[in-house]
Each structure stands twice: as C-alpha cells, then as structure tokens.
C-alpha cells in the first residue's frame, strides 16, 4: 500500500453580484458535504481569505456562506491556488447549517452545545455546566443571561414547565441526564407570530438523553457547630406529554431557599402589573452582603414546591406551579452611615440584631395552546405572605425595639388569545388583578419627638398602613402582513384604583390629622397602539415603529384637601432598528419617549414613618415625568471558535416637575418631601461582555465590565445641590481543567464608586474580591476541593476579609451516591465589612458571620 502527503495554501476573494468585497464570509473546507470541517477561515475587510492545508486527501469540497446570499460549493484539488468566488443573493441562506463540530452545532438561529464537552468531574447539576458555556452568564439571583440580556424562556424538551422559576431545574437536574443545551436566538415563543413579530431575546432549551427521563437529586447532611442539618429531595419526570418537578428542602446551614423559587418570567405585553409586595414600612436592617449566603445567613428554612405539566388533546397544556416557603433568619451587624449635606456631614452608627419570619405561598395555574395556527393562554396567579420582622437597635443615643408586620395578598388572571381570521390575526388580551397589604410598624421608645411630641420623650410609637389595589386592562387588536411589512393596531382600556389609609399613634392614642392619610387614587387610560414592523427578505434589516396614542386621566381624592387631577393626551413613540451586518456581527439601536404620572408613594400629604429614622410627607402636585430612553448595542459571535462578545450603551433623560427634599437631623432622622420645581435627571450606562471557550485546554474565560454615571438635583437641608454617582466594575471568571487530575474555578471583581455633590468629589470607594476553587482528583471517584476567598474594600481604612474552605467527596458510581465532608470558614473569620454609595450618603455595613463549621452529607443523583 502506498500513501502520499501534501501541504498546500488556498487563498481567494469573495464578492457579491455587484463585484463588492464581502467581509465576514465563512469559508469551510471539507472532505465532502457530510463530513466534519477540516479548515475554516473568515474573509477580511477586503473580502480575502487564506487556508493552510496539511492532508493526504487529493481533493476537497470548498463551501462559502454569507448572510443573505446562497451557499457556494466547489470541488477543488489539493494544491496552492487562488479562488475567485461570487455569491448571489438568496433568502434561503439563513436556513443553512453554518457550523457543525463536536462541541456545538448551529442551524439558523439555534446554537446547540454538547454538554459532555464542558462537563467536569466535579459537576453534578446542569447549572454547573451552564456557567462554563461562553455567552451565558448566571447572576447571583440565578437569572440566566445570554449576550448580556436575560433569557425569556427556559424549556425542557421544548416545554415551559416552570413558568420562570427555572432555578428549580437548573440547580437540581442531574447533568448526566442532559445531552445538549440549546440557545434559541431571536426566539419568538408565540408560534403564530413567528414570521410576523421579531424578537431580540434568546431562550434556552434543555435536551435530554432519553425520551422518558427520571432524574433529580437528594441530599441529607448533618454537622456542627452549632448543630447543623441539610435535607433535600427533588424528583423529576420528563416525558413527551408530562413533566413533573417536586421538591422538599430544609436547612439551617445558610443556603437561601427563596432563591430556588425566584420568578424570572418575561412578558412583552404592555399591560404588566407588579404583583409583588410593596414594602412601605420596615425595620432598620443591614443590606445583604455581596457574597455567598452560607457565609453569613443564620436561618431555619423549609421549602416545598410542586410543578406539573400535562399535554391534553388538541395541543393544550395544563400547568400547575405551587410553592410554599417558611424561613426564620437571624442577622446581627453594624451600620455606619455618612450623610453629606452642604457644609456638613452627619455620621450615624447603629448596631442591629434582627429576626425575620418569612412565610409565603404562591402559585400559578396555566392553560395554554401554542401552535402555528392558534394561541391561547390563561394564567391564574396568586400570592399570600405572613411576614414579621423584629429588631433590637443600639445607637449612640438610645436602645430601640422595632417590629413590622406585613401580611399581603395578591391575585391576578391574564388571558391572551391570538386567532387567525381570514388573512389576518385577531389579538385579544385581558388582565385583572387585586392586591392588599396591611402593615404595622412599632417602635419603642417613640422617634421624631420634635415633630410628634413637642420634643418630649415618649415610650411607644405605631405606624399603621393599609393599601388596596384593583387593576384591569382589556385590549383587542389585529395583525396583518403586507409583504415585508406587518401592521398591528390595538385599542384598549386600562384602569387602576388604589386606596391608601395611614395613621400614627403614640402610646395607643392617635395623633392629630397631620399624621393621617385617606387617599383614593384612580388612573384610567384609553389607548390606541399601532406598531409597524419591517423585515427584509434576507432577514438582514428589521425595523419596528410603535406609535401609541393614549388619553390618561388621573384623579386623586385626599382627606381634607381639594381633589387633584390630570388629563392628558399623550404620544409615546418607540423606534427600534436591527441590522445583521454579517454572519457574526449584529447591531441595533432604539429610542423612545414615555410619560409617568402619580407615584402614590409621593402623594400623601400626611406624615408616614417608613422606618425609625425616616418620615415622609408630600404636600405637592401630582408627579409628572417625561422619560427619553436611547440604547445602542453591538454583538459578535463566532460559534466555531466558541467566542462571544457584546457591547451596549444606554442613556436615560428624565424631566421632573417635582424636586425632592431631605432634611437630615444630627441624629440621622430624616424628613423627606418634595416641592414644585422643574428639574432634569440623567443616567449613562456602558456595558461590555466577552467570553471564549478554549477546547484544547478545556477552559472558559469570561470578562464583564460596566461604567455608569447618574446625575440628579436634590434639596438637602434647604440647599439645592446636584448629586452625581459614578461606578466602574470589572469582573473576570476562569473555568479550567488544567490536567486530568486538577481543575480550577477563579472569579474576581473590582468596583470603583464615587459620590460628588455640586461637582465636589467625596472620597472614593474601592471594593474587590478574588475566589479560587481548586479541585484535586485523587481517583476517578474521589476529589478534594480547596476554596480560598478574599474580599477587600478601601475607604477611610482598608478592610480585608479572608475565607478558607476544604471539602472531600467520594463517589460510588454504581449507586449514584456522593459522600461529602466539608469544613467551611476554617479561619473562623467572624465579621465582614462592606461599603457602598447610596444617593447622597456612604454606608458601611459590618456583618457578623457564621462560625467555622463541619458538615457531612450524602448526595444522590438519579
């Protein structure tokens, strides 16, 4: 047998039908049309390319693809040569397979990542792998972003079981059950709108290895000190017509179970109503520190959740999602606040000891039909909480006892119907909601003695507040296509009624009418929204112009005051342009104008104490704001090289008719109000994200950065000032399998912030963190993980915080059992200091941390 070997260089140029050079065209060299890629190149700015070949093949298949053009194929011989290529326009080019490799495949707008290419020996659940995939970012809350934007849907085998609460799957689905992770770019979740309404959001789809999959995790752990426990059971079933995720979890080790049921639902509808609880009143507490809750959270938590999807006849899905959380949290710390006012700085030190009793139940029942010819979705959502916060507070002047009870109820029903009638689509939307909260803040001894009790101390104070809200929105519209254009007029009516009643009492005796509120607020709106969309045949240009016209009427009845009202005819245009520059580059720009009126939290004329040192009163007209929003965005992705990058700039300008005031006393107690005065606030935000997977060294590197600048006018202690905030953030993460016996995970961030008042900069704040986790694989079924953490900040003094954790895991592969022993906070670091800027103040929080502790656990993945 004989063989021969050649080394050759193929160069060439790519032009379009007008003889213009095409930059960014993809050049692929294969053995034949069904084989893997042998060599790959991209044309430069002059349309030129070069390919170096080392192969024993006598000939190859050369393929050229470019967005908006037909695929070019030519069989060439293995020798040095120059190839001149001319591409012809074609609307089918986007449907071609662009990239196919062992790591990922791309077909049209779908990227499919092979899980095995990213999975490390230490990875157990699908979230562990998602963190390593370039282009994807998992936020501390668990929210998933792709190319800097939150995903809109999290599918498992094409079904949206969890309706936004995807942490339950992400943190518990066994990675061994998953074959691929798909990113659906520019995904339109409503199938009947797929060719009519463009979406710039991505969705995520989990592909399983089996048609019927039983999976999940279970865990049981005990430890000390103090006595610790951790228990979890999360069975899952996935079939073609049924999906189920059930979980029960409990721990006192500091793991925040509320994170597992965070709701990241995304809706493009315009009638959204915030169903979450509004915390009008609160006890004073320190903010949560910017690192793992297991370092500081002293809890006793229980979570139960049932999620069930059943596909009925006629493509109808019935989904039920119900969760119950019961959690007690203890938190001890110190808060030091520096208020900056013209000519003075007020400093306050407060030592807090708080207990939070959290109890809530929430659920959704959804009936949905989503086909190419029909769309129907009716969702009933409800929430109920019974929260109680207790706290002891020590200041330089006194000891204070606080409590805040805040039961809350909310319910909403949303109906969306899209149905074809003739050659157009008829669209009907309806939303009805109700919310009620009854909050009571008690403080001993009584605060605000100058305002409430003629500067005489008194033993007890109580702020009561009741708010009820009713909301409805009904609309009907039509969608009709005219070639590349789609017109979508919609007519509708929305109505919101809010009733607010507040009172302040001292020693169980009601105070005078300055401390009472009875508000009846009504906001009604009749609107005509028209959206014109254009999408070029080659899908390169996408333009959307929204020109809503609405008549808004606001009426405010206040006890003892004349009725206030606003009646306005408003025009709120929005324009978005999207350009697919090449197969790898995309750009977009958008801008718009909108108006906001009547924030009820800034409308009450009687005093309301929101906490022990903040009391508010607004004897002013109804708030009116005109907002201008502009955004530009540039993205680049090269799937073959697993490289993703995006950059964006946002600008917001707000014209206000009210100027907000703060009068700060030497003891930190603040009276907040507003005066009628026109003013402008603005904000600039720059973001840049990039990530790359290096297959040869099994490493993913991600870099994120942001720069923000905001400016607003305020009145501080009767002096008008301009308050400016600047912030710069850089973050780097590296996931790498250095060798077969060692892998590392490194995360770091640096934040710089500065507050300026009337162009006079105050002291800079610098925060940084470094986290390094090293996994040493002793054998295929054993590893040691060593975690080193550093947190530092630079303000008036340097504060350094170090943590060391060690763990050992032994796996019994035949049974799926993991035996784990972990020792956290070996250095027994007792406190952590964090500093940040907030409006016109610097806040330093000092947290008491959990002690050094050991936990032994048994984990089972199936």
């Amino acid at each position: 047998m004989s063989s021969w070997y050649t080394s050759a260089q193929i160069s060439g140029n790519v032009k379009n039908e007008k003889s213009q050079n095409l930059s960014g065209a993809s050049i692929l060299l294969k053995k034949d049309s069904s084989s893997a890629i042998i060599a790959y190149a991209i044309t430069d700015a002059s349309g030129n390319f070069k390919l170096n070949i080392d192969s024993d093949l006598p000939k190859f298949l050369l393929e050229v693809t470019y967005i908006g053009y037909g695929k070019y194929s030519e069989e060439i011989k293995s020798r040095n040569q120059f190839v001149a290529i001319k591409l012809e326009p074609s609307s089918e080019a986007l449907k071609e397979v662009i990239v196919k490799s062992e790591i990922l495949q791309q077909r049209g707008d779908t990227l499919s990542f092979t899980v095995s290419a990213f999975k490390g020996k230490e990875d157990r659940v699908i979230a562990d792998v998602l963190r390593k995939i370039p282009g994807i970012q998992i936020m501390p809350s668990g929210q998933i972003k792709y190319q800097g934007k939150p995903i809109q849907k999290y599918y498992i085998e094409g079904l949206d079981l969890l309706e936004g609460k995807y942490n339950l799957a992400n943190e518990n689905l066994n990675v061994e059950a998953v074959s691929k992770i798909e990113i659906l770019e520019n995904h339109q979740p409503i199938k009947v709108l797929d060719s009519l309404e463009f979406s710039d959001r991505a969705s995520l789809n989990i592909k399983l290895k089996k048609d019927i999959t039983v999976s999940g995790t279970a865990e049981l752990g005990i430890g000390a000190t103090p006595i610790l426990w951790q228990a979890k059971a999360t069975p899952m079933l996935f079939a073609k017509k049924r999906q189920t995720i059930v979980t029960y979890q409990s721990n006192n080790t500091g793991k925040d179970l509320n994170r597992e049921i965070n709701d990241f639902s995304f809706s493009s509808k315009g009638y959204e109503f915030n169903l979450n609880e509004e915390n009008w009143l609160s006890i004073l507490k320190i903010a949560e520190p910017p690192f793992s809750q297991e370092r500081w959270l002293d809890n006793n938590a229980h979570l139960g959740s049932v999620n069930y999807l059943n596909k009925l006849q006629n493509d109808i899905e019935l989904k039920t999602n119900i969760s119950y959380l019961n959690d007690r949290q203890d938190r001890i710390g110190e808060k030091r606040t520096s208020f900056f006012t013209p000519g003075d700085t007020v400093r306050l030190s407060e030592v807090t000891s708080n207990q939070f009793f959290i109890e809530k139940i929430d659920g959704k029942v959804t009936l949905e039909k989503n086909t190419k010819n029909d769309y129907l979705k009716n969702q009933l959502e409800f929430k109920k909480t019974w929260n109680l916060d207790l706290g002891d507070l020590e200041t330089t002047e006194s000891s204070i006892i606080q409590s805040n009870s805040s039961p809350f109820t909310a319910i909403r029903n949303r109906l969306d119907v899209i149905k074809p009638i003739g050659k157009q689509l008829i669209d009907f939307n309806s939303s009805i909601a109700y919310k009620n909260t009854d909050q009571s803040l008690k403080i001993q001894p009584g605060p605000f003695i100058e305002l409430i009790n003629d500067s005489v101390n008194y033993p007890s104070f109580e702020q009561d507040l009741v708010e009820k809200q009713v909301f409805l929105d009904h609309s009907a519209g039509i969608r009709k296509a005219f070639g590349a254009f789609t017109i979508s007029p919609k007519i509708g009516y929305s109505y919101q009624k809010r009733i607010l009643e507040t009172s302040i009492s001292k020693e169980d005796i009601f105070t005078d009418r300055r401390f009472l509120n009875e508000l009846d607020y009504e906001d009604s709106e009749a609107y005509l929204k028209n959206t014109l969309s254009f999408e070029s045949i080659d899908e390169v240009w996408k333009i959307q112009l929204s020109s809503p016209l609405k008549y808004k009427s606001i009426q405010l009845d206040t006890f003892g005051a004349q009725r206030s009202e606003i009646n306005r005819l408003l025009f709120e245009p929005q324009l978005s342009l999207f350009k697919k520059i090449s197969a790898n580059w995309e750009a977009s720009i958008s801008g718009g104008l909108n108006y906001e009126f009547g924030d009820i939290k800034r409308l009450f004329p009687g005093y309301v104490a929101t906490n022990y040192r903040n009391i508010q009163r607004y004897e002013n007209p109804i708030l009116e704001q005109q907002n201008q929003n502009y955004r530009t965005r540039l993205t680049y992705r090269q799937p073959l090289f697993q490289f993703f990058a995006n950059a964006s700039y946002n600008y917001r300008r707000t014209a206000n008719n009210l100027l907000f005031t703060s009068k700060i006393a030497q003891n930190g107690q603040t009276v907040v109000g507003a005066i009628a005065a026109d003013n402008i606030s603005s904000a600039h935000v720059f973001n840049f994200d990039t990530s790359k997977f290096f297959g040869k060294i099994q490493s993913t590197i991600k870099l994120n950065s942001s720069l923000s600048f905001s400016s607003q006018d305020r009145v501080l202690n009767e002096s008008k000032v301009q308050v400016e905030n600047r912030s710069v953030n850089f973050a780097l993460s590296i996931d790498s399998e250095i060798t077969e016996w060692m892998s590392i995970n490194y995360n770091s961030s640096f934040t710089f912030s500065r507050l300026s008042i009337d162009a006079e900069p105050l002291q800079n704040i610098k925060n940084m963190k470094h986290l390094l986790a090293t996994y040493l694989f002793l054998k295929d079924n054993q590893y040691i993980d060593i975690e080193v953490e550093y947190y530092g900040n630079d303000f008036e003094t340097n504060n350094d915080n170090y943590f060391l954790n060690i763990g050992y895991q032994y796996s019994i592969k035949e049974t799926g059992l993991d035996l784990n022993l972990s020792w956290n906070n070996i250095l027994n670091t007792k406190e952590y200091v964090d500093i940040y800027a907030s409006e016109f103040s610097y806040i330093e929080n000092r947290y008491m941390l959990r002690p050094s502790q050991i936990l032994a656990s048994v984990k089972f993945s199936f």
Side-chain angles (χ1 to χ4, degrees):
M1 179 179 291
S2 63
S3 64
W4 55 277
Y5 187 91
T6 62
S7 177
Q9 184 181 82
I10 298 174
S11 60
N13 176 266
V14 181
K15 298 180 182 295
N16 63 10
E17 80 284 5
K18 298 179 181 178
S19 297
Q20 297 171 325
N21 295 324
L22 294 179
S23 171
S26 298
I27 315 298
L28 288 76
L29 200 66
K30 303 178 180 181
K31 178 181 177 182
D32 52 50
S33 60
S34 61
S35 299
I37 298 170
I38 296 174
Y40 180 85
I42 298 174
T43 56
D44 59 20
S46 300
N48 298 321
F49 68 90
K50 289 183 180 180
L51 289 171
N52 293 314
I53 309 169
D54 291 316
S55 174
D56 58 358
L57 296 174
K59 58 183 179 180
F60 304 94
L61 181 68
L62 180 70
E63 291 185 352
V64 182
T65 59
Y66 190 84
I67 193 76
Y69 291 84
K71 183 172 69 174
Y72 175 91
S73 298
E74 179 185 2
E75 190 177 87
I76 60 175
K77 294 183 178 181
S78 180
R79 57 181 172 81
N80 294 334
Q81 58 186 295
F82 180 89
V83 183
I85 299 169
K86 186 176 182 180
L87 299 184
E88 298 294 334
S90 172
S91 62
E92 298 299 318
L94 289 176
K95 310 305 179 184
E96 297 293 339
V97 177
I98 298 175
V99 175
K100 185 174 182 180
S101 69
E102 293 181 357
I103 296 174
L104 73 88
Q105 298 178 11
Q106 177 184 352
R107 181 178 293 275
D109 285 338
T110 299
L111 299 179
S112 182
F113 294 87
T114 302
V115 169
S116 59
F118 296 90
K119 179 185 173 298
K121 295 178 182 179
E122 73 280 8
D123 297 332
R124 291 296 180 269
V125 296
I126 197 61
D128 297 332
V129 173
L130 272 173
R131 291 185 178 93
K132 300 178 181 180
I133 292 180
I136 290 180
Q137 182 182 10
I138 299 182
M139 307 303 292
S141 64
Q143 184 182 47
I144 301 173
K145 291 185 176 182
Y146 173 69
Q147 287 284 64
K149 287 186 176 183
I151 64 169
Q152 58 178 332
K153 290 287 186 179
Y154 185 104
Y155 298 111
I156 301 174
E157 287 293 333
L159 298 177
D160 182 15
L161 163 66
L162 295 168
E163 285 288 330
K165 295 184 178 181
Y166 51 70
N167 273 348
L168 278 171
N170 223 30
E171 300 291 341
N172 297 285
L173 177 57
N174 186 357
V175 68
E176 297 293 346
V178 181
S179 62
K180 295 183 182 296
I181 296 171
E182 294 182 339
I183 300 297
L184 314 177
E185 298 179 315
N186 304 322
H187 176 61
Q188 173 53 260
I190 302 177
K191 296 177 182 179
V192 72
L193 300 179
D194 193 31
S195 60
L196 293 175
E197 191 170 294
F198 168 70
S199 171
D200 64 349
R201 295 291 183 113
S203 294
L204 186 146
N205 183 42
I206 303 296
K207 297 289 291 183
L208 303 175
K209 293 180 179 179
K210 300 178 180 179
D211 291 339
I212 300 178
T213 299
V214 177
S215 182
T217 56
E219 180 178 0
L220 182 63
I222 57 173
T225 56
I227 297 176
L228 304 173
W229 79 82
Q230 185 166 290
K232 176 170 68 172
T234 310
M236 306 178 184
L237 171 65
F238 303 105
K240 289 186 177 181
K241 293 189 176 182
R242 289 180 179 83
Q243 292 188 353
T244 304
I245 297 180
V246 178
T247 189
Y248 171 75
Q249 303 182 38
S250 176
N251 79 88
N252 70 342
T253 59
K255 182 178 181 182
D256 184 11
L257 298 184
N258 188 59
R259 182 180 180 275
E260 299 244 340
I261 53 174
N262 281 342
D263 192 342
F264 304 114
S265 298
F266 173 84
S267 175
S268 59
K269 301 297 181 182
Y271 53 76
E272 283 304 293
F273 176 75
N274 186 359
L275 208 64
N276 296 325
E277 180 179 7
E278 294 184 45
N279 295 315
W280 286 78
L281 315 177
S282 65
I283 66 173
L284 192 77
K285 55 189 176 183
I286 57 175
E288 295 184 358
F291 60 98
S292 172
Q293 293 96 340
E294 296 179 44
R295 300 281 178 269
W296 57 269
L297 181 59
D298 187 0
N299 67 331
N300 185 331
H302 302 267
L303 169 68
S305 180
V306 177
N307 305 270
Y308 177 71
L309 180 150
N310 187 20
K311 290 194 71 172
L312 308 175
Q313 294 181 350
N314 300 320
D315 296 310
I316 295 176
E317 297 176 5
L318 177 62
K319 289 180 275 189
T320 303
N321 310 91
I322 300 176
S323 300
Y324 172 77
L325 175 68
N326 188 303
D327 191 6
R328 169 181 167 167
Q329 300 180 2
D330 296 331
R331 199 177 304 173
I332 299 174
E334 182 179 1
K335 187 171 190 173
R336 297 176 182 176
T337 309
S338 299
F339 298 98
F340 300 101
T341 64
D344 192 14
T345 299
V346 177
R347 301 184 186 275
L348 184 65
S349 178
E350 300 154 313
V351 178
T352 64
S353 177
N354 297 331
Q355 292 181 330
F356 304 102
F357 298 88
I358 303 167
E359 185 179 8
K360 68 176 184 178
I361 184 170
D362 62 80
K364 299 178 183 179
V365 179
T366 308
L367 188 69
E368 183 175 15
K369 181 179 183 180
N370 188 3
T371 68
K372 292 183 177 181
N373 300 315
D374 205 0
Y375 179 76
L376 179 147
K377 184 174 183 179
N378 190 86
Q379 185 173 85
L380 177 65
E381 187 174 0
F382 58 90
K383 296 186 177 183
K384 179 71 177 177
T385 66
W386 302 267
N387 294 342
L388 174 64
D389 302 338
L390 305 176
D392 295 332
L393 181 67
E394 296 287 340
T395 71
T396 54
E397 297 180 347
S398 62
S399 298
I400 299 170
I401 300 174
Q402 313 168 83
S403 71
N404 181 43
S405 173
S406 54
F408 168 76
T409 303
I411 188 169
R412 172 175 59 192
N413 190 83
R414 293 188 294 188
L415 172 64
D416 300 318
V417 178
I418 303 176
K419 198 168 187 65
I421 298 180
K423 295 183 179 181
Q424 55 273 325
L425 295 175
I426 303 299
D427 190 346
F428 175 76
N429 311 115
S430 174
S431 180
I432 302 174
Y434 170 79
K435 291 204 304 187
N436 176 50
T437 185
D438 186 353
Q439 303 180 24
S440 178
L441 174 64
K442 298 179 180 179
I443 302 171
Q444 297 176 337
F448 314 110
I449 59 174
E450 297 88 354
L451 184 64
I452 292 179
N453 207 45
D454 297 326
S455 299
V456 178
N457 292 327
Y458 63 102
S460 64
F461 166 96
E462 183 172 350
Q463 172 73 71
D464 293 309
L465 181 147
V466 176
E467 184 193 17
K468 299 178 180 180
Q469 296 185 53
V470 175
F471 171 82
L472 62 87
D473 187 294
H474 303 298
S475 63
I478 187 173
R479 288 180 171 87
K480 187 172 180 61
F482 298 92
F485 293 88
T486 300
I487 186 171
S488 307
K490 175 186 288 188
I491 188 170
Y493 175 78
S494 68
Y495 173 81
Q496 182 176 186
K497 183 180 181 68
R498 302 179 73 171
I499 297 175
L500 177 68
E501 298 178 355
T502 76
S503 64
I504 291 177
S505 58
K506 57 178 182 179
E507 303 176 70
D508 298 324
I509 299 174
F510 286 106
T511 51
D512 60 56
R513 293 201 177 278
R514 293 179 302 157
F515 305 97
L516 298 176
N517 285 292
E518 294 180 8
L519 274 69
D520 191 330
Y521 173 87
E522 294 185 7
D523 181 351
S524 59
E525 181 180 300
Y527 55 84
L528 172 63
K529 297 181 180 180
N530 187 42
T531 302
L532 178 65
S533 303
F534 168 81
E535 183 171 345
S536 61
I537 296 176
D538 56 9
E539 300 184 10
V540 170
W541 281 99
K542 295 173 183 177
I543 304 173
Q544 187 174 85
L545 174 63
S546 177
S547 53
L549 186 67
K550 62 185 180 183
Y551 181 79
K552 179 177 280 289
S553 177
I554 297 176
Q555 296 184 349
L556 175 65
D557 286 317
T558 306
F559 176 81
Q562 186 176 359
R563 167 182 278 199
S564 300
E565 62 180 36
I566 289 179
N567 296 287
R568 295 280 194 278
L569 181 64
L570 304 173
F571 180 61
E572 299 180 326
Q574 307 282 333
L575 177 64
S576 300
L577 293 90
F578 171 87
K579 174 70 162 57
K580 202 169 185 72
I581 302 172
S582 69
N584 308 112
W585 289 94
E586 296 178 357
S588 65
I589 185 170
S590 62
L593 174 70
N594 74 289
Y595 296 86
E596 296 180 13
F597 298 89
D599 183 356
I600 197 171
K601 285 194 171 183
R602 290 168 174 171
L603 283 176
F604 44 84
Y607 285 104
V608 174
T610 58
N611 59 51
Y612 98 94
R613 59 173 167 85
N614 186 290
I615 193 166
Q616 303 180 7
R617 182 187 193 186
Y618 298 97
E619 295 180 296
N620 49 254
I622 296 174
L623 175 69
E624 298 183 38
Q625 292 181 318
Q626 183 195 68
N627 302 305
Q628 298 179 46
N629 298 278
Y630 305 96
R631 176 182 175 89
T632 183
R633 176 178 166 87
L634 182 66
T635 64
Y636 175 82
R637 61 176 186 49
Q638 180 46 269
L640 183 70
F641 300 131
Q642 295 86 50
F643 178 66
F644 297 78
N646 70 87
S648 66
Y649 165 66
N650 291 53
Y651 172 67
R652 179 183 176 94
R653 181 183 184 274
T654 302
N656 306 277
N657 70 324
L658 298 182
L659 184 60
F660 295 101
T661 66
S662 296
K663 187 173 182 180
I664 306 169
Q666 288 300 313
N667 63 0
Q669 292 188 346
T670 304
V671 179
V672 179
I675 58 175
D678 293 337
N679 63 97
I680 301 293
S681 62
S682 63
H684 305 260
V685 180
F686 301 85
N687 286 288
F688 174 74
D689 302 323
T690 184
S691 57
K692 173 79 171 72
F693 177 72
F694 299 88
K696 291 184 178 180
I697 58 174
Q698 288 294 298
S699 301
T700 302
I701 299 178
K702 298 182 180 181
L703 175 65
N704 313 102
S705 59
S706 65
L707 167 65
S708 64
F709 171 79
S710 64
S711 174
Q712 60 178 328
D713 293 330
R714 293 293 298 261
V715 175
L716 301 179
N717 284 4
E718 300 180 352
S719 296
K720 182 180 178 182
V721 297
Q722 185 179 59
V723 180
E724 297 178 347
N725 279 276
R726 295 175 183 266
S727 177
V728 180
N729 177 261
F730 297 96
L732 172 68
S733 72
I734 302 174
D735 282 281
S736 178
E737 290 188 24
I738 298 177
T739 68
E740 290 187 358
W741 55 270
M742 182 173 72
S743 67
I744 65 167
N745 175 264
Y746 173 73
N747 289 275
S748 68
S749 69
F750 172 81
T751 302
F752 166 87
S753 56
R754 186 179 69 190
L755 180 66
S756 300
I757 297 180
D758 278 344
E760 289 292 330
L762 304 175
Q763 188 170 347
N764 298 331
I765 297 176
K766 299 176 183 178
N767 297 284
M768 69 172 63
K769 70 175 183 180
H770 300 276
L771 294 82
L772 177 63
T774 303
Y775 297 88
L776 303 174
F777 302 99
L778 309 178
K779 294 183 178 181
D780 286 343
N781 66 335
Q782 299 179 55
Y783 71 79
I784 295 174
D785 64 280
I786 304 171
E787 299 177 1
V788 181
E789 302 178 32
Y790 166 76
Y791 300 87
N793 53 67
D794 182 5
F795 183 50
E796 294 177 343
T797 59
N798 291 330
N799 295 282
D800 299 321
N801 305 267
Y802 298 91
F803 297 93
L804 175 63
N805 314 295
I806 293 179
Y808 168 76
Q809 182 162 297
Y810 180 89
S811 301
I812 306 174
K813 294 186 177 181
E814 295 79 7
T815 61
L817 283 176
D818 292 330
L819 307 179
N820 188 279
L821 181 65
S822 61
W823 185 5
N824 292 325
N825 195 8
I826 294 175
L827 303 178
N828 201 26
T829 303
K830 291 182 169 57
E831 65 178 24
Y832 169 81
V833 178
D834 182 46
I835 302 168
Y836 64 94
S838 176
E839 288 191 321
F840 46 85
S841 64
Y842 281 166
I843 299 173
E844 176 183 319
N845 287 322
R846 189 176 299 268
Y847 309 88
M848 299 299 105
L849 303 179
R850 296 177 68 95
S852 178
Q853 59 190 41
I854 297 176
L855 183 71
S857 63
V858 178
K859 300 179 181 179
F860 177 55
S861 299
F862 53 94

